[in-house]
Amino acid sequence: MENLIHSTQSHTSLPDCFIFPPDQVPPATSSVVSLPVIDMSCSRNEVRRAILDAGKELGFFQVINHGISEQMMQDMAAAGEEFFQLPAADKVGIYSEETYKATRLFSGATYVTGGEKYWRDCLRFAYDFPVGNSTKDWPDKPQRLREVVENFTLLARGLAMELLRLLCEGMGLPLDYFEGDLSGGYVTLDINHYPPCPNPNVALGLPPHCDRDLIAILLPGQVPGLEVAYKGDWIKVKPVPNAFVVNFGQQLEVVTNGMLKSIEHRVMTNSALARTSVAMFIAPTEDCLIGPAEEFLSKENPPCYRTLKFRDFKRSYNVVKLGSSLNLRTSLRNIQKGEMK
């Protein structure tokens, strides 16, 4: 518990373990760029075309009028913030550095071989869907947290599956292509908390990474922090009121043989404000074989990625994630292409 960043009321200096070399924290472009904003109340043809365009260009977009109420979004954000405001005694039972635990509170995990840590505390839930008996290991404070997380996950997963169906329509895949094993693994929900950082210019909330899963739905909060790689630069994402940020994971890029992009992104901190966000990830089952769909293959367009089980991809992903000397995006491509062991 002493490792939790937010357990210290204020930080006047940054511990050395959180300081990254300057070349690993290049500043973002000075402009704040709004990701494509897709209004899901528009015609179905217009929505699926916009999703495809965003996926081919950025791999990121925001959705509004998505069917999840503003009250539900506010409840989820508030419940997460309330958890991190609890006294340490109410959180000690859920804290763990054991990565195999499905539900745990942890902090500042090492991400690169240099030993640097990132400026984030996280409450993670990972469970089969529907939730079922998984809640027995969930924290019981604040009182409404369990109910809010369960309801939010149900709705957010439904939104993600609808977006995948829209993609299927637009790409000529069977409408149920992403049902079953491709989306049947653990649902993971991270409540991320980034406390004010005494030196945000040399620290990272989360280092550059591509999500290893299928698709992610992010409730970003009102405080900016997310940045997306774009044309050799980093762009700052400006949150849109009542919008979710959506990004495509590695497995969606593989299935589409590279047509849709899984793009590097990172989280920055600031010295004045704490930021709390909620990210939900949909993943394949461990034994799911994932490779390019036949609909994207031809003599002119051969497979760019090999087919392998999701568990094998994760194993290689964890090795690459710890290697700061490798270009992350290239390394992840090599996993799927069979050029790394």
Tab-separated table of all heavy atoms in Angstrom, residues 158-182:
chain	number	residue	atom	x	y	z
A	158	GLY	N	-22.035	-3.474	-24.566
A	158	GLY	CA	-23.054	-3.441	-25.613
A	158	GLY	C	-22.717	-2.426	-26.692
A	158	GLY	O	-22.911	-2.683	-27.891
A	159	LEU	N	-22.201	-1.259	-26.282
A	159	LEU	CA	-21.785	-0.246	-27.245
A	159	LEU	C	-20.641	-0.771	-28.110
A	159	LEU	O	-20.654	-0.607	-29.346
A	159	LEU	CB	-21.357	1.022	-26.506
A	159	LEU	CG	-20.678	2.106	-27.345
A	159	LEU	CD1	-21.604	2.601	-28.453
A	159	LEU	CD2	-20.229	3.262	-26.453
A	160	ALA	N	-19.662	-1.409	-27.490
A	160	ALA	CA	-18.526	-1.946	-28.249
A	160	ALA	C	-18.982	-2.981	-29.268
A	160	ALA	O	-18.526	-2.977	-30.423
A	160	ALA	CB	-17.509	-2.569	-27.288
A	161	MET	N	-19.896	-3.870	-28.878
A	161	MET	CA	-20.362	-4.899	-29.799
A	161	MET	C	-21.170	-4.284	-30.951
A	161	MET	O	-21.102	-4.765	-32.089
A	161	MET	CB	-21.196	-5.946	-29.059
A	161	MET	CG	-20.415	-6.728	-27.996
A	161	MET	SD	-18.879	-7.472	-28.604
A	161	MET	CE	-19.506	-8.658	-29.792
A	162	GLU	N	-21.908	-3.224	-30.677
A	162	GLU	CA	-22.625	-2.539	-31.746
A	162	GLU	C	-21.655	-1.893	-32.730
A	162	GLU	O	-21.856	-1.942	-33.953
A	162	GLU	CB	-23.571	-1.493	-31.159
A	162	GLU	CG	-24.274	-0.609	-32.176
A	162	GLU	CD	-25.188	-1.378	-33.129
A	162	GLU	OE1	-25.456	-2.581	-32.916
A	162	GLU	OE2	-25.652	-0.756	-34.106
A	163	LEU	N	-20.581	-1.307	-32.229
A	163	LEU	CA	-19.565	-0.734	-33.112
A	163	LEU	C	-18.919	-1.817	-33.974
A	163	LEU	O	-18.647	-1.599	-35.161
A	163	LEU	CB	-18.500	-0.008	-32.282
A	163	LEU	CG	-18.964	1.255	-31.556
A	163	LEU	CD1	-17.888	1.742	-30.583
A	163	LEU	CD2	-19.306	2.355	-32.551
A	164	LEU	N	-18.686	-2.980	-33.396
A	164	LEU	CA	-18.115	-4.086	-34.172
A	164	LEU	C	-19.092	-4.580	-35.235
A	164	LEU	O	-18.684	-4.933	-36.349
A	164	LEU	CB	-17.720	-5.231	-33.236
A	164	LEU	CG	-16.532	-4.951	-32.313
A	164	LEU	CD1	-16.356	-6.085	-31.294
A	164	LEU	CD2	-15.241	-4.763	-33.111
A	165	ARG	N	-20.383	-4.593	-34.928
A	165	ARG	CA	-21.369	-4.981	-35.937
A	165	ARG	C	-21.402	-3.970	-37.087
A	165	ARG	O	-21.523	-4.347	-38.265
A	165	ARG	CB	-22.762	-5.119	-35.298
A	165	ARG	CG	-22.941	-6.397	-34.492
A	165	ARG	CD	-24.380	-6.592	-34.075
A	165	ARG	NE	-24.781	-5.642	-33.050
A	165	ARG	CZ	-24.646	-5.865	-31.733
A	165	ARG	NH1	-24.125	-7.000	-31.298
A	165	ARG	NH2	-25.034	-4.958	-30.858
A	166	LEU	N	-21.284	-2.696	-36.749
A	166	LEU	CA	-21.243	-1.668	-37.782
A	166	LEU	C	-20.011	-1.848	-38.671
A	166	LEU	O	-20.086	-1.677	-39.898
A	166	LEU	CB	-21.241	-0.285	-37.138
A	166	LEU	CG	-22.586	0.185	-36.580
A	166	LEU	CD1	-22.392	1.311	-35.576
A	166	LEU	CD2	-23.501	0.645	-37.712
A	167	LEU	N	-18.891	-2.203	-38.059
A	167	LEU	CA	-17.696	-2.484	-38.846
A	167	LEU	C	-17.916	-3.667	-39.783
A	167	LEU	O	-17.505	-3.640	-40.946
A	167	LEU	CB	-16.511	-2.772	-37.915
A	167	LEU	CG	-15.824	-1.575	-37.265
A	167	LEU	CD1	-14.784	-2.052	-36.255
A	167	LEU	CD2	-15.155	-0.687	-38.313
A	168	CYS	N	-18.558	-4.706	-39.274
A	168	CYS	CA	-18.833	-5.875	-40.111
A	168	CYS	C	-19.669	-5.474	-41.322
A	168	CYS	O	-19.393	-5.908	-42.455
A	168	CYS	CB	-19.563	-6.944	-39.304
A	168	CYS	SG	-18.534	-7.795	-38.096
A	169	GLU	N	-20.682	-4.665	-41.103
A	169	GLU	CA	-21.517	-4.217	-42.212
A	169	GLU	C	-20.694	-3.462	-43.248
A	169	GLU	O	-20.839	-3.651	-44.455
A	169	GLU	CB	-22.645	-3.319	-41.691
A	169	GLU	CG	-23.698	-4.034	-40.877
A	169	GLU	CD	-24.758	-3.080	-40.361
A	169	GLU	OE1	-24.815	-1.926	-40.857
A	169	GLU	OE2	-25.543	-3.473	-39.482
A	170	GLY	N	-19.820	-2.596	-42.768
A	170	GLY	CA	-19.046	-1.771	-43.669
A	170	GLY	C	-17.939	-2.514	-44.387
A	170	GLY	O	-17.526	-2.108	-45.483
A	171	MET	N	-17.444	-3.606	-43.806
A	171	MET	CA	-16.315	-4.329	-44.387
A	171	MET	C	-16.706	-5.609	-45.107
A	171	MET	O	-15.858	-6.310	-45.642
A	171	MET	CB	-15.292	-4.661	-43.295
A	171	MET	CG	-14.676	-3.445	-42.630
A	171	MET	SD	-13.367	-3.854	-41.438
A	171	MET	CE	-14.257	-4.860	-40.240
A	172	GLY	N	-18.011	-5.938	-45.090
A	172	GLY	CA	-18.454	-7.137	-45.786
A	172	GLY	C	-18.228	-8.418	-45.017
A	172	GLY	O	-18.198	-9.502	-45.615
A	173	LEU	N	-18.071	-8.336	-43.708
A	173	LEU	CA	-17.950	-9.532	-42.876
A	173	LEU	C	-19.326	-9.962	-42.397
A	173	LEU	O	-20.249	-9.139	-42.310
A	173	LEU	CB	-17.065	-9.246	-41.653
A	173	LEU	CG	-15.578	-8.985	-41.890
A	173	LEU	CD1	-14.919	-8.526	-40.589
A	173	LEU	CD2	-14.876	-10.224	-42.427
A	174	PRO	N	-19.507	-11.240	-42.061
A	174	PRO	CA	-20.768	-11.656	-41.432
A	174	PRO	C	-21.020	-10.812	-40.179
A	174	PRO	O	-20.090	-10.484	-39.434
A	174	PRO	CB	-20.517	-13.130	-41.082
A	174	PRO	CG	-19.442	-13.570	-42.015
A	174	PRO	CD	-18.568	-12.380	-42.240
A	175	LEU	N	-22.266	-10.466	-39.945
A	175	LEU	CA	-22.598	-9.565	-38.843
A	175	LEU	C	-22.169	-10.121	-37.490
A	175	LEU	O	-21.905	-9.370	-36.553
A	175	LEU	CB	-24.093	-9.260	-38.830
A	175	LEU	CG	-24.611	-8.395	-39.984
A	175	LEU	CD1	-26.084	-8.085	-39.789
A	175	LEU	CD2	-23.812	-7.107	-40.108
A	176	ASP	N	-22.107	-11.444	-37.378
A	176	ASP	CA	-21.735	-12.058	-36.106
A	176	ASP	C	-20.258	-12.448	-36.063
A	176	ASP	O	-19.845	-13.241	-35.214
A	176	ASP	CB	-22.597	-13.275	-35.819
A	176	ASP	CG	-22.432	-14.380	-36.876
A	176	ASP	OD1	-21.763	-14.137	-37.908
A	176	ASP	OD2	-22.983	-15.473	-36.668
A	177	TYR	N	-19.436	-11.892	-36.951
A	177	TYR	CA	-18.034	-12.316	-37.044
A	177	TYR	C	-17.311	-12.153	-35.713
A	177	TYR	O	-16.476	-12.986	-35.338
A	177	TYR	CB	-17.298	-11.533	-38.133
A	177	TYR	CG	-15.892	-12.055	-38.378
A	177	TYR	CD1	-15.674	-13.088	-39.283
A	177	TYR	CD2	-14.798	-11.553	-37.676
A	177	TYR	CE1	-14.399	-13.607	-39.492
A	177	TYR	CE2	-13.514	-12.056	-37.882
A	177	TYR	CZ	-13.327	-13.075	-38.789
A	177	TYR	OH	-12.059	-13.586	-38.975
A	178	PHE	N	-17.598	-11.089	-34.988
A	178	PHE	CA	-16.875	-10.823	-33.740
A	178	PHE	C	-17.599	-11.380	-32.509
A	178	PHE	O	-17.181	-11.116	-31.382
A	178	PHE	CB	-16.640	-9.318	-33.569
A	178	PHE	CG	-15.681	-8.764	-34.583
A	178	PHE	CD1	-16.135	-7.990	-35.636
A	178	PHE	CD2	-14.326	-9.037	-34.499
A	178	PHE	CE1	-15.253	-7.484	-36.578
A	178	PHE	CE2	-13.434	-8.544	-35.435
A	178	PHE	CZ	-13.906	-7.757	-36.481
A	179	GLU	N	-18.672	-12.119	-32.722
A	179	GLU	CA	-19.311	-12.809	-31.601
A	179	GLU	C	-18.481	-14.046	-31.259
A	179	GLU	O	-17.569	-14.442	-31.976
A	179	GLU	CB	-20.736	-13.217	-31.986
A	179	GLU	CG	-21.633	-12.064	-32.408
A	179	GLU	CD	-22.070	-11.188	-31.253
A	179	GLU	OE1	-21.931	-11.620	-30.092
A	179	GLU	OE2	-22.542	-10.065	-31.526
A	180	GLY	N	-18.804	-14.674	-30.137
A	180	GLY	CA	-18.114	-15.913	-29.772
A	180	GLY	C	-16.725	-15.663	-29.235
A	180	GLY	O	-16.477	-14.697	-28.492
A	181	ASP	N	-15.780	-16.512	-29.627
A	181	ASP	CA	-14.446	-16.491	-29.016
A	181	ASP	C	-13.685	-15.190	-29.250
A	181	ASP	O	-12.878	-14.782	-28.415
A	181	ASP	CB	-13.609	-17.663	-29.544
A	181	ASP	CG	-14.046	-19.000	-28.975
A	181	ASP	OD1	-14.882	-18.997	-28.046
A	181	ASP	OD2	-13.560	-20.047	-29.445
A	182	LEU	N	-13.921	-14.528	-30.382
A	182	LEU	CA	-13.166	-13.303	-30.668
A	182	LEU	C	-13.447	-12.192	-29.655
A	182	LEU	O	-12.606	-11.322	-29.443
A	182	LEU	CB	-13.486	-12.800	-32.078
A	182	LEU	CG	-12.561	-13.292	-33.193
A	182	LEU	CD1	-13.082	-12.857	-34.552
A	182	LEU	CD2	-11.140	-12.783	-32.978
